[in-house]
Amino acid sequence: MAPEPPTGKTKNFLAKLGRHLRAGSASNPSRSLSPSPSSKPPTTQQEGQWNTAKDYGATVWKATETALRLLEKNADGFPPLKTAVSTLVICLDLAKDVIGNQEEYAKLAEEFKGMASTLAPYASKLAGADARGSIALILKSIDEELAEIKRQLERGKFKRAVEAADDRGDILTRYRKIDSLFRSLLSDVTLRTHVEIGKLREATDATLLRTLVPVDDARYNSAYSIAVKRRGCTASTREQILDDLRTWVKDPQGSKVFWMNGMAGTGKTTILYSFCEWLEENERLAGNFFCSRASTSCRDLNNIVRSVAYQLAHYSPAFRSELCKILEEKQNPHMLNVGEQFKWVVEKPLRNSKDAIPDGAVIVIDALDECDNASATALFLKVLLSYAASLPIKFLVASRPEPVIVEKMQASHFSHSLLRLHEIEQSLVQADIKQYLQEALCTMSPIPTADIIDQLTRRSGKLFIYAATVARYINPEGVKVNSQKRLKMILRISSPSAGLQYQELDNLYTGILASAFDKGNLEDEELKIATLVLRTVICALEPMTKSTMPMILALEQGDVASSLSRLESVLHVQEGPLGLVSILHASFPDFLFNKDRSHEFHCNIIEHNTKLAHSCFDVMSNELHFNMCDLESSYDFDEDVPDLEQKIAAKISAAVLYACRCWSNHLVLYCDLTSSIHYRLVEFLKFHLLFWMEVLNLTKSISMGSKLLSDALTWFIRKAPDHAFKETKKELYDADLFVKTFSLGACKRSTPHVYISALPFCYKFNSVYQNYWSKTSGLLEVNGTSLTQQRNGPIGVWKSGSWINTVAFSPDGRTFASGCENGDLHIRDVQSGEIVFNPLLEDEGSIYAVAFSPDNSRIAAGSSKGIIRIWDVQTANLIAGPLNMEGREVMALTFSWDSKKLASYSGHWQTIVLWDSSSGEMLSGPFTTKDFGDYYSGSFTFTPDDSNILLVSSLNNGMVQVLDAHTGSDIAEPFEVISNEGTALTSTALSPDTNMVAVGYEEGAIYIWDIHARSTICGPLVGHRELVSALAFSHDGKKLISGSDDASIQIWDVETGDVVAGPFEGHTGAILSLALSSDRTKIISGSYDQSVRLWNIFGNENDIAPRSPSVTGYVRTVAWSPDGTRIASGQYDGTVAVWNAQNGEAAMKPLIRHSSAILSIAFSPDGSRISTGTSDGAVVSWDPRTGEIVGEPFQGHSKFVNSIAYSPNGSIIASGSRDCTIIIWQCSTGEMVGKPIRHNNEGVNSMAFTPDGNRLVSSVQDGSIYVWDVHTVGQIILGPIKGHKHREVNSVACSPNGHQFVSGSDDGTLCIWDLTTGEMTAGPFDAHCGGVNSIAYSRDGTNIISGCRNGTISVCDTETGNILASIAGHTYYVASLAVSPDGNSFVSGSWDRSVRVWQLDTLTSPESLQKTPTIWMPEDVTVPTISNIATYQHDGWVVLDNMRLFWTPPEFREDLCYPYNPITIGPHGTTHIDYSPSKLFIGRMWSKCWKYGRQEMSPW
């Protein structure tokens, strides 16, 4: 049993602590195993049986001895094992005559024989194992048992038979324990393969283990422990406590966790130091981590688990083997949150190697309260306590009784041992303190008298820190002082008016500081410097070194050193210039920050932090510069740069790193907005931001950059007067957005790309671009309307293997979850985008629903197969599940407001079930809802009092229903939310207060209903072009987010119905799910395009960029004007756009909008009009200069007009339709020429006039091609022509010489036909890009261009069919192509919503490629082709032969120009980029991009 908590009487408590069963104690058998002297003599039959058993025992013993001798021989290379086996053979031989029961003996011998035979092959391998740790403890335990057996066997020769019989049971018990210990050894050894034991495996394991990045300073006896004066207990002190700890270790029934807590100064660390020494001497120290507020690495709680795992791996080879297996298989498990870390690098390998871990192994964690993140500390304890009971080791944790630790340790479901040092009887503590003082002051001359020692002991009370501070002050090591004078000063100290608890300690601190600040011996300037130094040490957010502090404070190093030398009694001051300076004990800053305790030495925390904020800005201004670490090439990832760690250490001083990491925290926590602070903040943003990013990125801290800036922005808005400093607010906001985009992107892996990639792709009106672009040269010139003004683009994009069904933000906004159609569930960190939790769900179907509990403690997921699981958010442990809805797909989940219940909804089965979120027990249900049909989506939530459930369906008119959460009965009559237009309802959302429901409809409108009034209160909200597919309210119910099949997102003001932000564009498929962060600064969205996107929300309406003319929908058709100056595009949303062919900007404003989709487009030969074929069967002509309709639409078709074409002389126009007809129209009158040309019930896909205008070629859906006489309308000249493999022929084009035509089909081939005979003259040529959607001839007829379904464009030789260029520029169907009149270029239009111009003459000519080099092309290619160019990867990198050329942010990937693609017109405007290498500084020349050299020019 675990010891009971103390009741105030420490002796009784300690006595209880020691009451444990000790390992190895004998258990006397209830009866003798051999006949007693009083027994009757055996019969002849009995004697025969005994002789037979004896003979059998001898045979078995012979075989056992042989097996043991073989094991002994094989252990030649491992003496500890050889000795143990040799002793065992002797003892077993002696035992055969002592153990009367021959059957027992034979059974025992058989067991040892089996063990020895199994272990023998591995014995020689143990020579390479560590002769310490778990194996050493096993062998030591065997030796102890054998020694006791041998002693008892020797003693048994001289004992009476009765007494000897009493020992036999104990001997057998010990033999069985030995057998068990040998089997533990066998488990340890057999868990490792021969390769793992070999040198190669050891080297591999060592490399893997170092990836854990253990903190060596945190070991109890590290070099750092000397610097902070950590030591063990003085001899013969704290013995009672140490004895009780040893008892706990040895007790196999003892609690798994021992918590030693004590107030500041009670000696916890010293006790644990001595305890660790004992554990290590006895091979029981499995790991230790001594936290320290004075060390950045030792106070980072994330380092505990990985460091302990590293030590465990060296303690137990079996654990090491299991851990390395995990490190090989799972990517960086030690970089996950502390819960996932513990599971992967401690719990799993321990569980898999538990049979090889000996009893009594301990992990020690000291000063847990000194970790710098209270929530992380709580999480660590939660994880530890949840796993500890099932692990084969024990944990000792020491800390102050801080509330967060007390709360976790006092959890009722877990039993642990407890020792409160400050509640131990004072007499016991003071005896130890007295002995410590006697030893610490014994080198004084004269030695203090017994009375003086007693007096100092009484003043110490229970605080060892008082005694330690006195000893350091009076008799410091290695420093000459007047010890007698200092002793007298301490004894003269009288009590101030402080509280009693720390009265003596306050007196001591006051006396020491009065001596250090001796006004009689120090100048005013010296006093001022000493005060500044002292306050800096206690206010520093991270410990500074002796060389850092002078730089931060702008002081001489000698002055700082002098001040520190007088304060070494209360501060840790490590040796050397890089020695850390930190507080000696946590009680010291407590004293200084409390004016009532420290009086004249009081430190005003606000004033001094303001001083440190100023200092940080000054250091960054003076020390930051371009290319901080002299990186040589922008092609390399930082991780691949040789000796980068050494460069960082040499080039980035500790002072610079401190300033970069801490300026914002000093500012935000304590400062007011003064003119001086404002000046320095603006200077930092305008002149040093990019250099600051370099430092953070190189030191793996870039993810904190955005938080530092966003915290500063929040602080600035709070502190700035209303409507004041608007420009600074914009500077901060723009900087935050710039850093967010960089830190969430793959480019953070290469620091030079702050300049090479992030800056060129920054919006032109972003303050970062305006501040820094003019200071650079030789960077990519990215121009066009897509960059002219900031817009609502994604700042992070994560691709999945399938579409994203559901997304959710955690209530604290730090993480977000996404559930996918393929069953994946990801939880990511908002700041870094890294996955923090990724449960493996096997064959549980698609994830349809995800929900976080309101208290942020749980996350639940539901699947298409009706499986629900609930996890602990912090530890990633499964709390409940799998909960089974019996095959009913889980379409929605919601937690109750108290987080204790989870409700699940199955839309298809119309059922709701309530579950206990802790146990998984079904509380109520399933109950059936009314009239919800089988539509899969809907919304439901608990009412604020958790008594009812509000449910809204997404079927037809939408049914709103309020149900009793316990019975499922209706609380009120259900009602429908009905659209005035009568269109279908497609999405719903409930406000958090359950007063409103928002409904989205098929035509794109949104209405908001008051549930209680049962009427609309807002709407229609109109902004989407297609159906509303997703809705979500903000946490306060004041904003509504909507997503649509048009791939855009809008944010609405619920009260006014106005758009307050958006459109957010970037997805290429329908939005399936949305969530808004609790602070309303970010949106997460999931889409049919298989991506999750994170969006930053602009602060107000004024930040929303006005839309530049851009591609607004799927591009269905393109055409080039006869004079070559304009390009026209027709889009599926009904838009007709005309673009300048030179720069891609809109040549006609506003864009023309038709009521139905534009499927085909053509310029008249004189360029005076644009004609379009529409989805409503009309042919409409427009004036390209004014955008006005010319004449009346030509009406004659009953279905889509898929193709239109002007005759070469412009007198007629032909239109081909899905209604299976071609109509020829007189352009001047709009009259139909002749009758419609009818095909055999097959829709027309494409048409083309021959160059002479006499014939018309058409292709239809069944794969047939026809050639018609234009003059005798309807007369077939050729056809049906068939040659494709029974697939649709999507496009045809006539050669410029009029002799051939080409066809492209769904079968992925091109065929060339003779226009006279209809015979195939070439082909079929494989386009190698899937189905061919569109084709065009080059102007000279030598090449054929084809656009394909997979987004590829191919250019092939007309005669041979050889592919001259294959261009992966589009991401979706290439729907249309058109060649420029001069033949040098062509334009492509795609369903990816982009129009791209390509340089045809360059793409197809190696000579032209050689004359127009690009960074996308290798320099050493003698005959370049387009196939040699770099590849564009999904994460945004453009890579050429493992060289990272540049990276593009998520919002520009759709608009990116490719080489020989000078213009892209996309959803966000136009983009054009010059890739000429002669103008660019990238690769090894990248450092030339900064105009002003290393140092920045003067800021003002």
Side-chain angles (χ1 to χ4, degrees):
M1 290 180 60
E4 297 176 7
T7 59
K9 295 186 178 180
T10 309
K11 286 185 178 178
N12 291 339
F13 163 66
L14 293 174
K16 291 178 182 177
L17 187 64
R19 287 181 202 145
H20 299 290
L21 290 172
R22 298 182 180 271
S25 60
S27 57
N28 295 326
S30 58
R31 60 185 181 87
S32 173
L33 297 177
S34 61
S36 67
S38 59
S39 299
K40 295 180 180 179
T43 64
T44 304
Q45 183 180 359
Q46 289 172 327
E47 192 174 60
Q49 291 172 346
W50 289 339
N51 289 333
T52 301
K54 190 172 183 179
D55 292 341
Y56 172 69
T59 303
V60 171
W61 162 241
K62 192 64 179 174
T64 301
E65 183 181 18
T66 301
L68 286 170
R69 292 297 182 191
L70 176 61
L71 174 58
E72 180 185 14
K73 183 176 184 301
N74 287 352
D76 283 345
F78 194 38
L81 177 61
K82 185 178 181 70
T83 301
V85 176
S86 176
T87 306
L88 177 61
V89 173
I90 294 169
C91 289
L92 276 174
D93 191 33
L94 290 173
K96 65 182 179 182
D97 296 323
V98 176
I99 301 175
N101 190 325
Q102 291 298 321
E103 289 182 10
E104 283 287 337
Y105 179 80
K107 184 178 179 183
L108 183 66
E110 282 278 14
E111 290 173 0
F112 275 113
K113 173 177 171 287
M115 175 277 298
S117 300
T118 307
L119 185 57
Y122 298 100
S124 61
K125 306 296 183 182
L126 280 170
D130 296 335
R132 59 184 188 277
S134 59
I135 291 178
L137 180 56
I138 291 170
L139 292 172
K140 182 179 179 182
S141 300
I142 291 172
D143 288 341
E144 290 173 353
E145 296 297 331
L146 286 170
E148 179 60 23
I149 289 174
K150 196 171 182 182
R151 186 186 64 79
Q152 290 191 29
L153 289 172
E154 292 294 334
R155 184 181 63 180
K157 296 177 182 178
F158 307 102
K159 284 181 141 188
R160 290 182 296 108
V162 174
E163 291 175 337
D166 291 336
D167 283 341
R168 289 177 190 134
D170 184 55
I171 290 171
L172 277 173
T173 300
R174 291 185 184 280
Y175 273 128
R176 301 223 177 276
K177 184 169 183 181
I178 290 169
D179 181 62
S180 174
L181 287 166
F182 267 112
R183 294 188 188 281
S184 291
L185 188 65
L186 181 61
S187 294
D188 192 308
V189 113
T190 54
L191 277 170
R192 293 171 289 143
T193 64
H194 295 301
V195 176
E196 288 174 323
I197 300 172
K199 291 182 179 179
L200 179 61
R201 184 68 233 180
E202 287 178 358
T204 303
D205 286 356
T207 302
L208 286 170
L209 291 176
R210 289 311 301 181
T211 65
L212 293 173
V213 196
V215 178
D216 294 328
D217 282 353
R219 300 182 73 154
Y220 81 96
N221 56 356
S222 65
Y224 176 73
S225 72
I226 298 173
V228 295
K229 298 180 173 63
R230 185 187 300 147
R231 49 165 285 183
C233 300
T234 299
S236 302
T237 63
R238 317 311 290 253
E239 279 300 317
Q240 182 64 61
I241 295 171
L242 291 168
D243 279 345
D244 292 317
L245 290 176
R246 294 171 192 135
T247 299
W248 166 72
V249 170
K250 294 177 180 178
D251 181 5
Q253 304 303 318
S255 60
K256 290 289 189 176
V257 177
F258 192 115
W259 178 33
M260 177 190 290
N261 84 58
M263 303 299 291
T266 50
K268 300 180 292 296
T269 297
T270 305
I271 293 169
L272 290 196
Y273 191 104
S274 292
F275 183 54
C276 284
E277 287 181 317
W278 177 84
L279 289 171
E280 194 155 32
E281 288 170 5
N282 288 271
E283 309 293 349
R284 296 179 184 273
L285 185 60
N288 67 99
F289 194 100
F290 277 49
C291 307
S292 172
R293 189 175 284 111
S295 165
T296 305
S297 57
C298 295
R299 71 166 187 251
D300 185 348
L301 196 135
N302 287 309
N303 290 333
I304 296 179
V305 175
R306 65 185 69 156
S307 299
V308 165
Y310 181 82
Q311 294 174 50
L312 261 172
H314 286 80
Y315 177 76
S316 167
F319 176 90
R320 178 166 65 241
S321 177
E322 294 298 319
L323 173 60
C324 288
K325 192 185 302 179
I326 289 171
L327 292 175
E328 282 182 322
E329 294 172 356
K330 188 169 179 65
Q331 183 181 5
N332 296 332
H334 56 288
M335 300 303 289
L336 303 174
N337 67 56
V338 71
E340 286 285 280
Q341 272 190 54
F342 198 96
K343 179 174 77 174
W344 288 104
V345 303
V346 174
E347 189 271 337
K348 280 185 177 293
L350 267 179
R351 174 158 43 85
N352 293 338
S353 60
K354 64 182 179 181
D355 291 338
I357 304 294
D359 291 339
V362 179
I363 290 173
V364 177
I365 299 165
D366 179 49
L368 189 61
D369 56 284
E370 296 198 22
C371 289
D372 55 6
N373 187 322
S375 61
T377 301
L379 171 57
F380 173 75
L381 284 174
K382 185 175 182 180
V383 172
L384 174 63
L385 297 177
S386 65
Y387 282 121
S390 61
L391 297 179
I393 55 176
K394 294 183 176 183
F395 296 86
L396 192 153
V397 178
S399 73
R400 287 195 201 184
E402 298 291 343
V404 67
I405 298 176
V406 172
E407 179 187 352
K408 293 299 177 186
M409 283 297 191
Q410 290 182 346
S412 58
H413 64 277
F414 187 82
S415 174
H416 61 272
S417 299
L418 174 66
L419 175 61
R420 293 191 177 101
L421 290 177
H422 51 276
E423 293 184 0
I424 296 176
E425 288 185 9
Q426 186 152 325
S427 60
L428 293 175
V429 179
Q430 291 210 327
D432 289 339
I433 289 177
K434 181 176 180 179
Q435 186 162 342
Y436 165 76
L437 286 169
Q438 287 172 338
E439 182 179 299
L441 303 180
C442 69
T443 58
M444 286 177 60
S445 180
I447 298 173
T449 65
D451 287 342
I452 290 174
I453 295 293
D454 287 341
Q455 192 175 346
L456 293 175
T457 300
R458 285 195 300 274
R459 291 190 176 203
S460 298
K462 296 182 182 180
L463 300 179
F464 262 83
I465 188 57
Y466 182 97
T469 305
V470 164
R472 284 192 184 96
Y473 179 67
I474 296 173
N475 194 28
E477 292 181 12
V479 181
K480 273 197 168 186
V481 298
N482 189 332
S483 296
Q484 293 299 327
K485 182 180 177 182
R486 290 191 172 196
L487 175 58
K488 289 176 183 177
M489 187 278 290
I490 293 294
L491 296 174
R492 282 199 307 268
I493 294 174
S494 59
S495 300
S497 56
L500 293 176
Q501 185 179 18
Y502 288 106
Q503 178 174 295
E504 291 294 347
L505 189 60
D506 290 354
N507 297 346
L508 176 63
Y509 283 146
T510 301
I512 291 174
L513 292 178
S515 176
F517 291 84
D518 185 353
K519 296 179 181 179
N521 293 318
L522 297 174
E523 298 289 340
D524 288 345
E525 184 64 22
E526 290 178 302
L527 291 171
K528 182 179 177 182
I529 291 173
T531 301
L532 187 59
V533 168
L534 176 61
R535 291 175 178 174
T536 298
V537 174
I538 66 169
C539 289
L541 297 171
E542 298 176 359
M544 298 185 191
T545 66
K546 286 189 288 188
S547 59
T548 300
M549 203 173 301
M551 292 182 65
I552 293 289
L553 300 178
L555 297 173
E556 293 294 329
Q557 187 139 0
D559 290 337
V560 172
S562 176
S563 298
L564 290 172
S565 68
R566 295 193 297 274
L567 294 167
E568 290 196 10
S569 300
V570 287
L571 299 178
H572 286 309
V573 183
Q574 293 182 3
E575 295 297 325
L578 298 181
L580 286 174
V581 181
S582 56
I583 57 171
L584 178 66
H585 198 267
S587 61
F588 187 52
D590 294 344
F591 164 76
L592 287 174
F593 289 143
N594 188 329
K595 191 171 185 178
D596 292 335
R597 294 174 61 190
S598 53
H599 303 289
E600 63 179 296
F601 302 111
H602 168 62
C603 174
N604 185 312
I605 195 169
I606 293 176
E607 289 180 4
H608 197 71
N609 274 276
T610 302
K611 163 67 180 171
L612 288 177
H614 278 90
S615 298
C616 287
F617 282 127
D618 291 343
V619 167
M620 291 191 291
S621 178
N622 294 329
E623 300 295 326
L624 292 178
H625 58 78
F626 173 75
N627 197 8
M628 290 289 296
C629 286
D630 295 333
L631 300 178
E632 295 180 0
S633 174
S634 66
Y635 292 153
D636 300 327
F637 283 152
D638 291 350
E639 64 204 50
D640 299 325
V641 175
D643 303 320
L644 181 59
E645 292 303 318
Q646 290 87 333
K647 289 182 179 180
I648 292 171
K651 302 288 185 180
I652 301 176
S653 69
V656 169
L657 186 56
Y658 180 91
C660 289
R661 291 168 59 94
C662 298
W663 67 267
S664 176
N665 292 330
H666 283 301
L667 201 70
V668 169
L669 295 174
Y670 304 106
C671 290
D672 289 324
L673 180 57
T674 64
S675 58
S676 177
I677 286 289
H678 182 247
Y679 173 89
R680 283 170 168 79
L681 177 61
V682 171
E683 180 191 41
F684 165 74
L685 294 170
K686 285 184 177 293
F687 297 98
H688 310 299
L689 179 75
L690 300 191
F691 312 148
W692 171 72
M693 289 177 66
E694 283 192 53
V695 171
L696 291 185
N697 201 56
L698 287 164
T699 57
K700 304 288 191 294
S701 305
I702 191 64
S703 61
M704 74 161 47
S706 174
K707 186 175 190 318
L708 294 175
L709 288 167
S710 59
D711 286 349
L713 176 60
T714 303
W715 166 84
F716 191 86
I717 292 171
R718 187 175 71 248
K719 295 288 185 178
D722 290 342
H723 310 296
F725 305 119
K726 285 187 176 180
E727 185 58 33
T728 307
K729 290 178 186 176
K730 183 179 186 303
E731 293 262 4
L732 277 167
Y733 182 87
D734 288 349
D736 181 25
L737 183 61
F738 184 81
V739 174
K740 268 194 181 82
T741 303
F742 181 83
S743 65
L744 287 168
C747 65
K748 67 184 174 187
R749 298 183 67 184
S750 179
T751 298
H753 286 269
V754 170
Y755 307 90
I756 302 300
S757 298
L759 190 58
F761 284 97
C762 184
Y763 294 106
K764 307 298 184 188
F765 286 94
N766 184 291
S767 302
V768 177
Y769 183 89
Q770 293 177 339
N771 290 335
Y772 293 95
W773 183 254
S774 61
K775 299 165 190 173
T776 65
S777 64
L779 297 179
L780 283 175
E781 292 275 357
V782 186
N783 294 303
T785 59
S786 64
L787 285 96
T788 55
Q789 191 159 355
Q790 229 158 244
R791 66 175 184 270
N792 292 308
I795 56 174
V797 176
W798 297 273
K799 283 284 188 179
S800 175
S802 65
W803 61 81
I804 314 298
N805 291 322
T806 179
V807 294
F809 260 114
S810 62
D812 62 5
R814 294 181 180 178
T815 57
F816 62 86
S818 59
C820 307
E821 182 67 18
N822 63 4
D824 287 345
L825 175 63
H826 301 297
I827 294 88
R828 294 181 183 270
D829 177 79
V830 167
Q831 294 294 337
S832 67
E834 301 294 333
I835 292 176
V836 295
F837 175 33
N838 181 23
L840 181 62
L841 306 175
E842 296 183 1
D843 194 31
E844 293 190 5
S846 305
I847 302 297
Y848 282 166
V850 172
F852 284 93
S853 63
D855 66 0
N856 205 47
S857 66
R858 297 170 172 83
I859 182 172
S863 77
S864 59
K865 293 188 177 181
I867 302 298
I868 301 168
R869 294 179 186 268
I870 307 172
W871 294 271
D872 185 299
V873 168
Q874 295 177 321
T875 67
N877 289 337
L878 186 66
I879 295 174
L883 313 178
N884 199 332
M885 287 193 69
E886 299 177 355
R888 299 166 174 164
E889 75 290 327
V890 181
M891 300 309 304
L893 293 168
T894 186
F895 279 94
S896 59
W897 288 94
D898 63 5
S899 301
K900 294 180 179 179
K901 297 184 285 291
L902 176 72
S904 58
Y905 168 54
S906 170
H908 181 78
W909 297 94
Q910 307 170 46
T911 56
I912 293 176
V913 178
L914 259 66
W915 313 85
D916 184 296
S917 66
S918 295
S919 66
E921 178 187 355
M922 186 184 293
L923 300 176
S924 59
F927 32 79
T928 305
T929 60
K930 293 184 178 179
D931 303 322
F932 273 59
D934 59 0
Y935 200 80
Y936 286 116
S937 63
S939 303
F940 83 134
T941 188
F942 281 88
T943 54
D945 63 0
D946 286 340
S947 62
N948 303 318
I949 292 175
L950 183 63
L951 180 63
V952 184
S953 76
S954 290
L955 177 69
N956 299 325
N957 293 326
M959 181 71 72
V960 179
Q961 191 173 2
V962 183
L963 307 172
D964 184 289
H966 303 290
T967 65
S969 59
D970 285 322
I971 301 298
E973 185 66 27
F975 70 96
E976 293 180 339
V977 285
I978 303 170
S979 165
N980 293 335
E981 286 77 16
T983 59
L985 184 154
T986 54
S987 56
T988 64
L990 286 161
S991 64
D993 61 6
T994 66
N995 291 328
M996 296 177 289
V997 59
V999 290
Y1001 294 94
E1002 189 174 27
E1003 86 285 359
I1006 302 167
Y1007 288 85
I1008 301 175
W1009 288 66
D1010 183 306
I1011 291 176
H1012 302 292
R1014 302 190 174 203
S1015 61
T1016 57
I1017 56 174
C1018 192
L1021 312 182
V1022 179
H1024 291 294
R1025 299 185 299 273
E1026 298 182 34
L1027 67 83
V1028 179
S1029 53
L1031 291 168
F1033 277 95
S1034 62
H1035 284 253
D1036 60 7
K1038 294 180 179 179
K1039 300 289 185 291
L1040 177 71
I1041 332 167
S1042 61
S1044 167
D1045 269 15
D1046 66 11
S1048 72
I1049 300 167
Q1050 308 261 23
I1051 302 181
W1052 311 82
D1053 184 288
V1054 169
E1055 187 175 345
T1056 66
D1058 295 333
V1059 173
V1060 294
F1064 297 86
E1065 294 180 320
H1067 280 294
T1068 57
I1071 310 296
L1072 301 181
S1073 185
L1074 289 167
L1076 182 67
S1077 63
S1078 54
D1079 62 2
R1080 293 182 294 177
T1081 63
K1082 298 177 187 69
I1083 295 172
I1084 192 72
S1085 58
S1087 168
Y1088 190 78
D1089 67 8
Q1090 303 186 1
S1091 74
V1092 176
R1093 298 183 185 233
L1094 181 67
W1095 314 78
N1096 221 42
I1097 300 174
F1098 287 82
N1100 55 62
E1101 295 180 57
N1102 296 328
D1103 291 320
I1104 302 173
R1107 290 179 67 95
S1108 299
S1110 60
V1111 177
T1112 56
Y1114 302 139
V1115 179
R1116 186 64 175 78
T1117 178
V1118 293
W1120 208 306
S1121 68
D1123 62 4
T1125 62
R1126 290 164 294 174
I1127 293 167
S1129 64
Q1131 284 133 225
Y1132 208 76
D1133 64 358
T1135 300
V1136 176
V1138 182
W1139 315 99
N1140 185 308
Q1142 302 306 310
N1143 58 26
E1145 295 180 5
M1148 179 181 65
K1149 301 176 183 179
L1151 304 181
I1152 305 165
R1153 196 67 174 269
H1154 189 64
S1155 58
S1156 59
I1158 306 298
L1159 304 180
S1160 50
I1161 197 166
F1163 276 96
S1164 63
D1166 63 2
S1168 64
R1169 68 176 68 182
I1170 299 171
S1171 295
T1172 59
T1174 68
S1175 61
D1176 59 6
V1179 176
V1180 184
S1181 295
W1182 317 78
D1183 187 313
R1185 293 163 299 179
T1186 66
E1188 295 179 356
I1189 293 180
V1190 178
E1192 293 295 322
F1194 299 169
Q1195 302 284 356
H1197 291 291
S1198 59
K1199 293 183 181 180
F1200 297 178
V1201 177
N1202 287 329
S1203 179
I1204 60 171
Y1206 274 97
S1207 64
N1209 63 11
S1211 62
I1212 58 175
I1213 185 170
S1215 59
S1217 170
R1218 185 63 64 87
D1219 67 5
C1220 309
T1221 66
I1222 295 174
I1223 298 177
I1224 297 177
W1225 310 85
Q1226 190 69 43
C1227 287
S1228 57
T1229 64
E1231 294 180 356
M1232 192 182 300
V1233 178
K1235 293 182 179 181
I1237 302 171
R1238 182 164 294 280
H1239 295 72
N1240 295 325
N1241 298 319
E1242 295 293 340
V1244 178
N1245 287 334
S1246 178
M1247 301 179 310
F1249 277 100
T1250 56
D1252 60 10
N1254 294 325
R1255 288 163 292 178
L1256 183 69
V1257 181
S1258 66
S1259 66
V1260 294
Q1261 288 176 300
D1262 70 350
S1264 300
I1265 304 170
Y1266 297 86
V1267 181
W1268 308 87
D1269 188 302
V1270 172
H1271 303 293
T1272 59
V1273 178
Q1275 180 179 344
I1276 297 177
I1277 298 176
L1278 297 170
I1281 302 169
K1282 294 195 174 185
H1284 290 284
K1285 298 176 181 178
H1286 310 294
R1287 300 278 187 94
E1288 288 193 44
V1289 176
N1290 294 316
S1291 185
V1292 292
C1294 292
S1295 64
N1297 63 12
H1299 296 157
Q1300 292 117 355
F1301 69 90
V1302 64
S1303 59
S1305 167
D1306 271 355
D1307 64 9
T1309 64
L1310 307 176
C1311 295
I1312 299 175
W1313 313 86
D1314 188 288
L1315 258 170
T1316 304
T1317 65
E1319 294 180 357
M1320 188 186 299
T1321 59
F1325 302 138
D1326 190 346
H1328 298 288
C1329 58
V1332 177
N1333 291 330
S1334 53
I1335 52 176
Y1337 269 102
S1338 61
R1339 291 295 175 187
D1340 61 6
T1342 59
N1343 300 319
I1344 297 170
I1345 311 159
S1346 58
C1348 305
R1349 290 202 167 189
N1350 66 357
T1352 301
I1353 298 170
S1354 293
V1355 183
C1356 69
D1357 183 277
T1358 302
E1359 293 185 1
T1360 65
N1362 293 337
I1363 303 294
L1364 304 176
S1366 182
I1367 312 160
H1370 290 286
T1371 59
Y1372 208 10
Y1373 291 6
V1374 179
S1376 182
L1377 298 165
V1379 179
S1380 65
D1382 63 8
N1384 293 331
S1385 304
F1386 69 91
V1387 62
S1388 58
S1390 168
W1391 281 31
D1392 66 6
R1393 303 192 301 166
S1394 73
V1395 174
R1396 295 176 180 269
V1397 176
W1398 304 89
Q1399 295 172 304
L1400 178 60
D1401 54 344
T1402 307
L1403 287 168
T1404 55
S1405 167
E1407 294 81 9
S1408 297
L1409 288 173
Q1410 220 159 19
K1411 292 176 183 177
T1412 54
T1414 169
I1415 61 169
W1416 289 65
M1417 188 74 73
E1419 295 179 1
D1420 56 353
V1421 177
T1422 54
V1423 184
T1425 67
I1426 198 66
S1427 61
N1428 299 128
I1429 68 168
T1431 58
Y1432 182 59
Q1433 299 180 341
H1434 290 306
D1435 60 0
W1437 280 110
V1438 173
V1439 180
L1440 177 66
D1441 296 334
N1442 296 320
M1443 298 182 296
R1444 288 93 188 170
L1445 303 181
F1446 64 93
W1447 174 86
T1448 55
E1451 65 259 55
F1452 293 111
R1453 290 176 194 169
E1454 291 177 298
D1455 304 321
L1456 179 68
C1457 287
Y1458 290 81
Y1460 316 113
N1461 164 212
I1463 299 171
T1464 296
I1465 309 165
H1468 311 114
T1470 62
T1471 309
H1472 34 99
I1473 304 174
D1474 184 357
Y1475 290 119
S1476 173
S1478 62
K1479 301 178 182 178
L1480 297 179
F1481 293 140
I1482 62 172
R1484 299 189 69 83
M1485 296 181 65
W1486 88 273
S1487 60
K1488 294 183 179 182
C1489 75
W1490 190 254
K1491 287 182 180 179
Y1492 298 99
R1494 290 171 60 82
Q1495 292 296 334
E1496 178 54 69
M1497 61 183 182
S1498 177
W1500 303 109

